[in-house]
Amino acid sequence: LEILVTILNMNDNSPVFKQTNLTKVVPEDTKVNATIVAREDLSASDADLDIIFYELTTIVAGTDGYFAIKGVNNPEIYLQKTLDYEKFNSTTLVLYARDRPVGSTDTTNTATTTINIFIEQADTKPPWFQPCTFINTDKSICISSPYTGRVNISEMSTEPLILEPGPIYAIDPDYTLNEKIVYSIVGGDTDKVFSVDADTGNLTMNKLATSPDSYLLQIMATQVNNIQKYSIASVEIKVINKSNHAPYFESRIYNGTVFVGLAPRSFVFQAGNLSSPLMITAADDDFPNV
């Protein structure tokens, strides 16, 4: 008597990952669809020789949608959305490997591996002149106001000019890199009246300003490591007559008369002369004819 015995393979083994914890450093400027973790580093084995079904999840709030796997049977992780270091600089992914499809009523064995992702800030932004104001909620764009200053006509200043709202200064918003920034005048100074210190941004005079016209300078801040990373700020320098005297009131005391019941914006009259409105005047010896 010949008896054939067939041994049926039970699903009694769980999938096994080569590593249960991986760490990857990803540059911020990585291109969308680029591979982050290769398939061979994430493929799980199963002693039962079952087909493995994969699922990727994110356990850090606010980092969903950036990373994905190629398919339910392909665990290769790729970048699905452009990274922004300002939004987050790390996240943790969990990859599930199952020997039955999700939702199956059969007994399912599961394994997991954790992928720690650290974002490396890249040189993606040009310099920002200070102070500046953010114009969007994710604080990726910061706009500065024009600088303003004054010089006296036909007078040479030997000190750096005082500007509003502050001195010329720019920063590298990619703050972990903090590339060196240099300054130059790229417009508005055809007569070479002004110069800017390349390292400090201090604005000084080369010669006298002989015209009462204002100067509208264009100052460029450039990263030393990449001249294509630059920003332009405008600086308005007003040329004024030198003021040697403070203005003063022509009288120390003014006396006036008003009447009860007058409507708002009615005249106040001079005391003792009810036909002449009260006038308060000031003079400046720098402008004797005004």
Side-chain angles (χ1 to χ4, degrees):
L1 179 64
E2 184 177 294
I3 300 175
L4 291 176
V5 179
T6 301
I7 301 174
L8 299 178
N9 188 12
M10 290 185 61
N11 184 20
D12 55 354
N13 293 284
S14 295
V16 177
F17 283 106
K18 295 178 184 178
Q19 304 176 69
T20 57
N21 197 296
L22 294 87
T23 297
K24 290 290 181 179
V25 177
V26 182
E28 180 187 11
D29 58 353
T30 298
K31 300 297 183 183
V32 171
N33 295 322
T35 297
I36 304 302
V37 186
R39 180 175 185 171
E40 54 267 23
D41 295 330
L42 294 172
S43 293
S45 59
D46 189 338
D48 297 319
L49 303 180
D50 291 319
I51 296 174
I52 307 298
F53 299 88
Y54 297 94
E55 180 186 8
L56 185 68
T57 63
T58 303
I59 64 175
V60 178
T63 63
D64 291 332
Y66 286 88
F67 300 94
I69 56 175
K70 288 287 188 178
V72 68
N73 300 121
N74 182 354
E76 177 181 313
I77 297 176
Y78 70 98
L79 183 65
Q80 190 170 239
K81 190 164 63 173
T82 302
L83 295 171
D84 187 344
Y85 188 86
E86 303 297 330
K87 291 183 178 179
F88 70 96
N89 53 37
S90 66
T91 188
T92 301
L93 310 176
V94 177
L95 180 64
Y96 293 86
R98 300 183 177 92
D99 55 14
R100 294 292 185 272
V102 174
S104 172
T105 58
D106 296 336
T107 300
T108 303
N109 297 308
T110 304
T112 61
T113 184
T114 301
I115 303 99
N116 302 296
I117 303 290
F118 293 95
I119 311 302
E120 183 180 63
Q121 191 169 36
D123 192 5
T124 60
K125 298 182 179 70
W128 288 348
F129 281 97
Q130 301 297 298
C132 65
T133 302
F134 292 108
I135 63 171
N136 53 355
T137 55
D138 61 4
K139 297 184 177 181
S140 60
I141 301 175
C142 201
I143 303 298
S144 62
S145 300
Y147 296 94
T148 59
R150 298 185 300 177
V151 297
N152 295 323
I153 193 168
S154 301
E155 182 174 301
M156 183 74 172
S157 175
T158 58
E159 298 294 325
L161 302 183
I162 298 175
L163 303 176
E164 294 293 339
I168 296 172
Y169 177 62
I171 63 169
D172 181 2
D174 300 313
Y175 55 87
T176 63
L177 303 177
N178 195 26
E179 298 292 349
K180 180 177 174 58
I181 294 172
V182 294
Y183 306 90
S184 59
I185 299 176
V186 294
D189 189 27
T190 55
D191 296 330
K192 306 298 181 185
V193 175
F194 304 96
S195 62
V196 65
D197 188 283
D199 295 317
T200 65
N202 285 337
L203 189 65
T204 55
M205 298 184 70
N206 296 322
K207 56 185 179 181
L208 302 176
T210 57
S211 170
D213 298 330
S214 296
Y215 292 86
L216 189 60
L217 309 178
Q218 301 295 314
I219 305 295
M220 182 169 68
T222 310
Q223 291 183 193
V224 172
N225 70 322
N226 185 354
I227 61 173
Q228 293 183 342
K229 292 287 193 306
Y230 70 90
S231 293
I232 303 292
S234 61
V235 181
E236 183 182 14
I237 303 297
K238 296 179 179 179
V239 182
I240 61 174
N241 291 314
K242 184 176 180 180
S243 178
N244 294 312
H245 304 89
Y248 58 90
F249 288 104
E250 295 182 335
S251 176
R252 295 186 61 187
I253 299 176
Y254 292 86
N255 296 307
T257 299
V258 295
F259 298 97
V260 175
L262 286 178
R265 304 183 66 84
S266 297
F267 283 119
V268 176
F269 293 94
Q270 294 184 25
N273 186 355
L274 301 182
S275 63
S276 298
L278 178 63
M279 298 182 65
I280 299 175
T281 57
D284 189 334
D285 291 339
D286 292 312
F287 305 95
N289 297 323
V290 176

